[in-house]
Amino acid sequence: MLHPSKLRPAKKRAGVLLAISTVAAALATPLTAAPAAPAEAPAPAAAGLRWTGCATPRYPTLQCASLKVPLDHGQPAGRQISLALTRVPHTAAASQGPLLVNPGGPGGSGRALAGFIASALPKDVAAQYDVIGFDPRGVGKSEPALDCGSGHFNPVRPDSVPRDGATERANLERVRSFAVSCQEKHADVLPYVGTVSAARDLEVLRTALGAPKLSYFGYSYGTYLGAVYAKLHPDRVHRLVLDSVVDPGGVWYEDNLSQDLAFDARHKAFLAWVAQYDSTYHLGTDPARVEERWYAMREALRGTPAGGKVGPAELEDTYMPGGYYNGYWPSLAEAFAAYAVKQDPKPLVAAYERLGAVEPSANNSYSVYTAVQCRDSAWPRDWNRWRADMWRTHAKAPFMTWNNAWYNAPCAFWPTQPLEAPDVTNTALPKALLFQATEDAATPYEGAVSMRDKLAGSALVVEEGGGNHGIALSGNKCLDEKLSAYLRTGQAADATCQAQPAPKPAAATRAVPPSAGGAALHGLLGFRG
């Protein structure tokens, strides 16, 4: 669900190697019963936070702090870890308290999001809140930061579609090795990295802020984190905004299968958009023909990776961001056309390096992503189940089914016991506000409907025809007005807003400028969910 980001090396710990001698042995390991999440322990008393200036030219009032929280909330006096925080303080005479913001992932760093949201909201709304960003446990500047090993995404990886046994075994060895590495480096931390633990951290943060209640604004995976916090502490919620909503009933194996179908539909929408502009891209006017040419490009890259870097798996990584944000479509179409029409691979390599390549700092986010997803709920341990489900889904949705499978497959080998995902059904909350685009690929529309039904009295604002992931504060005036009204008053109602127009072709191959449309927001959100 997430493009990885940020890293801090961790020391190897002896004697904690995952006890799996071969891939076959690991796959044969039976799935143990998933224990229920431990009972909520009282939040420990927390000392007040010490905020210091960490201004940037864009965010001149930004402040930073760190917060100690228990590694194990069942042992609040035990080992402590730290969370890195940012804040844009309120300026109004009357404050509505803290507004915690989260960009998703899991594994996304939220420190930069505070400044963005404080500046994107109307001034009178932002003035009423202390907008607070945070790196969840294990992420970014929080300590310890997970790093399960480098090189996992180095190009050129095996083809994601395992057309033969050797390709499947190579991919299995990659994901098994990643799980082993996580256990070697972080055996003492992995049992405490998950959504429930992160939600309990938010209660410690609320106490440290001295706030009787907190407000929360989460995108993508951040919607699930917010819903879990609200389940644990409904009486501590002032406002709750969930944008691009995770289906709480599919955490996480089923949600990923649903993503595969939705991303394939979104990829087809991109290819249909390319067909509309045949005079620019010269790839044909029939979407089906354009799709054939895209898969022909993928097949050609199996034999000769572009620039020695972009094989089929890297091609999927490059075009997947187009499923999150259509602002990338013009530059992706330029790269496609250059390769398929002009036999020029350089723009494709440039697009990969800009949108698909994983920098060394990305090990941290992916490490947290796997640690959270694999801990939150039970995943199949029998690879035959994965294989059957992926081939069945691939037949309907070939764009990224297998790519997504390998991204999540470390969970088939994960060393920690899974928890039981909590039921987030909630009748004790004040009114919550949900935002959802109908064609969102990362968190399909049905998940928002499910969450709205579980959060009694909540309101759902639908972006009709929209396909971007993360829609509030991305340039849609209708959505933004409803967000601002809710943050001012707490009042909201179900509503529909029309999607923004699709982009136009770029004059030349280039990245979308950060100031264009929703690009600034999407540069802050964690990909893959």
Side-chain angles (χ1 to χ4, degrees):
M1 280 187 178
L2 164 86
H3 251 356
S5 108
K6 303 284 186 225
L7 141 133
R8 191 176 79 99
K11 295 181 180 179
K12 181 175 180 179
R13 295 175 176 86
V16 294
L17 181 65
L18 182 63
I20 299 173
S21 59
T22 65
V23 170
L27 296 178
T29 302
L31 178 64
T32 56
E40 174 69 358
L49 295 166
R50 180 175 175 271
W51 295 98
T52 59
C54 55
T56 69
R58 182 172 292 182
Y59 308 126
T61 63
L62 193 68
Q63 300 173 341
C64 293
S66 64
L67 171 70
K68 295 292 185 181
V69 299
L71 174 66
D72 178 359
H73 283 278
Q75 301 291 331
R79 177 183 171 186
Q80 303 291 296
I81 60 176
S82 69
L83 307 183
L85 314 174
T86 57
R87 178 178 73 169
V88 177
H90 75 277
T91 57
S95 170
Q96 295 203 49
L99 173 62
L100 276 57
V101 297
N102 181 271
S109 169
R111 288 176 295 116
L113 192 61
F116 171 83
I117 287 182
S119 63
L121 288 169
K123 290 182 179 180
D124 73 295
V125 176
Q128 298 176 44
Y129 290 92
D130 293 318
V131 183
I132 295 176
F134 60 98
D135 283 353
R137 56 174 53 204
V139 175
K141 296 296 184 181
S142 294
E143 295 182 349
L146 299 191
D147 172 20
C148 294
S150 61
H152 186 69
F153 292 99
N154 285 355
V156 173
R157 307 198 305 273
D159 191 342
S160 59
V161 179
R163 304 184 192 187
D164 53 55
T167 303
E168 184 175 38
R169 287 191 295 272
N171 276 307
L172 281 169
E173 179 57 27
R174 281 183 63 249
V175 299
R176 184 195 69 86
S177 296
F178 187 84
V180 169
S181 178
C182 277
Q183 175 72 351
E184 286 181 324
K185 296 183 176 184
H186 300 296
D188 57 334
V189 174
L190 290 184
Y192 309 104
V193 179
T195 301
V196 171
S197 291
R200 291 174 176 166
D201 290 342
L202 301 187
E203 179 62 4
V204 179
L205 175 55
R206 181 197 63 78
T207 303
L209 292 167
K213 294 188 177 185
L214 60 77
S215 297
Y216 179 92
F217 182 178
Y219 290 95
S220 191
Y221 162 78
T223 66
Y224 183 61
L225 175 59
V228 172
Y229 174 79
K231 179 68 174 183
L232 295 174
H233 301 285
D235 58 326
R236 297 301 188 182
V237 176
H238 177 58
R239 305 274 191 268
L240 181 65
V241 181
L242 309 179
D243 186 322
S244 303
V245 184
V246 165
D247 183 348
V251 174
W252 289 110
Y253 184 75
E254 296 298 331
D255 277 352
N256 278 279
L257 290 173
S258 297
Q259 272 191 335
D260 298 338
L261 299 170
F263 265 104
D264 197 81
R266 195 64 183 149
H267 186 58
K268 284 181 168 63
F270 161 66
L271 298 171
W273 178 86
V274 172
Q276 292 178 20
Y277 295 102
D278 179 58
S279 61
T280 299
Y281 302 118
H282 310 294
L283 287 161
T285 59
D286 179 3
R289 174 58 180 152
V290 176
E291 184 174 15
E292 288 175 3
R293 297 189 73 170
W294 194 89
Y295 282 101
M297 174 173 64
R298 187 190 189 283
E299 184 64 21
L301 293 170
R302 289 183 71 222
T304 307
K309 295 180 178 180
V310 185
E314 290 76 26
L315 182 72
E316 292 160 347
D317 292 349
T318 302
Y319 280 79
M320 194 179 297
Y324 288 90
Y325 175 52
N326 62 12
Y328 300 132
W329 287 5
S331 58
L332 289 172
E334 292 276 0
F336 178 15
Y339 184 92
V341 177
K342 301 177 183 178
Q343 291 75 54
D344 180 5
K346 291 190 291 295
L348 184 62
V349 174
Y352 163 71
E353 291 175 342
R354 185 171 63 249
L355 296 175
V358 175
E359 298 180 356
S361 61
N363 295 330
N364 169 246
S365 287
Y366 181 64
S367 298
V368 176
Y369 173 90
T370 50
V372 171
Q373 294 238 325
C374 301
R375 176 65 166 156
D376 270 2
S377 61
W379 293 72
R381 297 282 178 152
D382 180 357
W383 186 251
N384 290 325
R385 164 78 183 280
W386 288 73
R387 185 188 291 117
D389 286 345
M390 298 314 147
W391 280 121
R392 182 174 58 253
T393 307
H394 175 86
K396 304 173 188 176
F399 169 55
M400 65 158 276
T401 294
W402 274 106
N403 186 299
N404 203 24
W406 298 122
Y407 199 87
N408 291 281
C411 294
F413 303 90
W414 206 247
T416 60
Q417 291 295 307
L419 300 173
E420 182 178 342
D423 179 1
V424 299
T425 299
N426 206 321
T427 60
L429 277 176
K431 181 180 288 291
L433 178 61
L434 283 58
F435 290 95
Q436 184 68 39
T438 56
E439 312 307 315
D440 185 350
T443 52
Y445 174 77
E446 294 76 14
V449 175
S450 174
M451 184 73 83
R452 193 267 306 273
D453 291 345
K454 289 181 178 295
L455 304 183
S458 59
L460 174 60
V461 177
V462 175
E463 187 181 47
E464 185 65 40
N468 289 341
H469 181 68
I471 54 176
L473 302 181
S474 67
N476 188 318
K477 182 179 178 181
C478 175
L479 299 174
D480 294 351
E481 287 176 345
K482 297 184 187 312
L483 170 65
S484 297
Y486 172 75
L487 291 176
R488 286 188 187 101
T489 68
Q491 298 302 306
D494 289 349
T496 299
C497 295
Q498 293 304 307
Q500 299 181 81
K504 299 292 185 182
T509 303
R510 61 181 182 272
V512 179
S515 60
L521 171 64
H522 287 86
L524 297 172
L525 300 186
F527 284 4
R528 291 196 185 246

